[in-house]
Amino acid sequence: MSYLYVTDNSAQISIKENYVTVKYKDGMIRNVPIETLESISIFGKCQITTACIQVCLYRGIGISYYSKGGSYFGRLHSTGNVNVKRQRLQANLLGSELALELAKKIIRSKVHNQIVVMQRYAKSRNFDSSLIFQQMKILMNKIQNCKDINQIMGYEGIVARLYFQTLGKLVDENFTFQRRSRRPPKDAFNSMLSLGYSILMNEIYGKVESKGLNPYFGFIHQDRENHPTLASDLMEEWRAVIVDSLVMSLINGHEILESHFYSDSEQGGIFLKKEGMNIFIKKIEGKMRNTQHYLTDIEYKVSFRRAIELQVNALAKAIEKNNPDVYQPLWIR
């Protein structure tokens, strides 16, 4: 399947026969067969015709909108996959014993995956992470005995601080940072994290919708106006594996440079320039297509994109059967 990313403000997206066509200011034209297209992601202010939007809605092709810097605005989507029965069960998930057990699984897997990613880069930099590893491991084990989700997220917050403080010491010195910063990102590292999380969130959002679930009915994070909480919940186990490791690879592999960023005085943040944005998008799309054997309940390799879909499907089954054992979280090695 094809995933179309458009980052040029001057581009025009239209439909011609069985192709989605992207025309650029320099005269270049890109044609994507409509039968192979899974989604369109638009960064900035490029134009898309009503005819193209209608065809995408009819075919269930999601259209997502981001700012030039990568902040997520929202998406157009078809209502063809709504499953009312499944959503009624989902609405009862919040505050239930099932929600608590699922939260333990997901957040413990998040911590485990953070530990693995951190240790990989600590080893490559000859950094002694043993003490931090022990602290994170203790906190991960405490999560298993939590009595409510607030307690779980309290431990998760402590782990996150330890984790990001350590990552800040493991990147090239030009990209060091102290803590996670958002809206706007205050440094280049956080800028890429925010962009990656936005893309990942949208990816999961689409998979949640395709299974007939409501992206806004979560069970781990607190409800927020206009925020797809369920997509946030399911993203936790994937953050370190897909986005954090990708950002570390881009920096330490010298694929992204300081010159690929600019400072926006109006927003007060650091953002990727067009060239850097294209490098990042190409890298994360390649990552999403990469095949691994990380899911313990299947015997073959799948792409990260397919693995996310399988996890969303497993969550839907766990809700329908009221059984947390149906859901096995991502646990990397």
Side-chain angles (χ1 to χ4, degrees):
M1 299 299 288
S2 300
Y3 294 79
L4 178 61
Y5 298 84
V6 184
T7 61
D8 193 324
N9 282 338
S10 65
Q12 294 182 332
I13 307 171
S14 60
I15 188 79
K16 184 177 181 181
E17 297 176 348
N18 291 322
Y19 292 90
V20 168
T21 298
V22 186
K23 294 182 179 179
Y24 297 91
K25 188 176 181 179
D26 62 3
M28 187 179 77
I29 296 176
R30 180 181 180 187
N31 293 312
V32 182
I34 193 71
E35 293 85 359
T36 69
L37 192 57
E38 182 77 15
S39 71
I40 300 174
S41 295
I42 297 171
F43 293 80
K45 298 179 180 180
C46 84
Q47 302 298 309
I48 182 168
T49 66
T50 300
C52 186
I53 290 172
Q54 289 174 342
V55 171
C56 288
L57 289 173
Y58 176 75
R59 290 178 171 269
I61 299 169
I63 303 173
S64 304
Y65 290 89
Y66 299 81
S67 71
K68 181 182 177 182
S71 297
Y72 179 64
F73 290 145
R75 55 187 279 128
L76 299 176
H77 58 88
S78 169
T79 58
N81 292 320
V82 174
N83 186 321
V84 175
K85 181 180 178 181
R86 185 171 283 177
Q87 288 192 13
R88 288 189 185 278
L89 292 173
Q90 180 191 353
N92 294 326
L93 182 61
L94 184 64
S96 66
E97 186 64 26
L98 175 61
L100 179 62
E101 294 306 313
L102 288 171
K104 288 179 182 179
K105 284 174 172 279
I106 290 172
I107 301 303
R108 288 185 77 247
S109 77
K110 176 185 181 179
V111 176
H112 167 81
N113 296 337
Q114 287 176 325
I115 289 172
V116 174
V117 168
M118 183 186 74
Q119 287 187 312
R120 287 176 183 173
Y121 285 95
K123 183 177 181 180
S124 68
R125 308 284 282 195
N126 293 318
F127 180 84
D128 184 5
S129 63
S130 57
L131 179 58
I132 299 165
F133 164 77
Q134 291 172 9
Q135 292 174 310
M136 293 174 70
K137 191 80 171 179
I138 289 170
L139 291 164
M140 184 180 73
N141 292 334
K142 285 180 177 292
I143 289 171
Q144 186 60 44
N145 298 317
C146 285
K147 302 300 182 184
D148 60 59
I149 290 175
N150 287 335
Q151 215 179 356
I152 293 173
M153 297 311 289
Y155 287 131
E156 186 275 337
I158 299 171
V159 170
R161 285 193 293 274
L162 291 170
Y163 170 70
F164 282 117
Q165 285 171 5
T166 306
L167 285 192
K169 300 173 183 177
L170 299 177
V171 294
D172 283 358
E173 59 182 14
N174 293 333
F175 289 89
T176 55
F177 71 105
Q178 297 297 319
R179 63 181 66 85
R180 182 79 178 99
S181 64
R182 315 167 179 83
R183 303 187 190 91
K186 298 296 186 181
D187 53 67
F189 193 99
N190 274 290
S191 180
M192 288 190 287
L193 285 184
S194 293
L195 174 59
Y197 293 156
S198 291
I199 293 173
L200 179 58
M201 169 80 77
N202 183 53
E203 187 85 35
I204 295 173
Y205 190 117
K207 298 295 186 286
V208 166
E209 280 188 335
S210 72
K211 298 303 178 182
L213 295 168
N214 189 316
Y216 294 87
F217 290 177
F219 59 94
I220 297 177
H221 294 91
Q222 293 183 351
D223 291 342
R224 299 205 326 255
E225 194 71 22
N226 303 322
H227 182 74
T229 316
L230 182 62
S232 281
D233 294 348
L234 294 178
M235 188 167 74
E236 293 293 10
E237 64 191 78
W238 299 99
R239 286 177 182 264
V241 181
I242 294 177
V243 179
D244 302 356
S245 61
L246 180 141
V247 173
M248 293 291 291
S249 175
L250 281 169
I251 293 173
N252 288 1
H254 307 293
E255 296 175 70
I256 282 283
L257 308 174
E258 287 181 282
S259 59
H260 288 133
F261 297 85
Y262 70 95
S263 176
D264 190 314
S265 57
E266 185 175 324
Q267 297 185 61
I270 305 295
F271 301 96
L272 281 163
K273 296 178 181 177
K274 181 181 175 180
E275 183 183 1
M277 177 76 75
N278 290 338
I279 291 170
F280 188 93
I281 289 174
K282 182 178 180 181
K283 186 81 170 182
I284 197 168
E285 179 58 26
K287 185 79 176 270
M288 295 303 297
R289 294 174 183 271
N290 188 30
T291 58
Q292 298 287 345
H293 191 189
Y294 284 150
L295 298 183
T296 58
D297 53 344
I298 60 171
E299 299 178 352
Y300 50 90
K301 291 183 178 181
V302 294
S303 69
F304 280 118
R305 182 167 278 129
R306 174 61 175 155
I308 290 172
E309 182 178 6
L310 291 171
Q311 289 298 82
V312 174
N313 191 50
L315 176 72
K317 290 180 179 178
I319 292 171
E320 289 178 339
K321 295 182 178 181
N322 194 35
N323 183 358
D325 294 336
V326 173
Y327 190 88
Q328 298 302 320
L330 179 74
W331 204 267
I332 67 172
R333 298 177 291 277

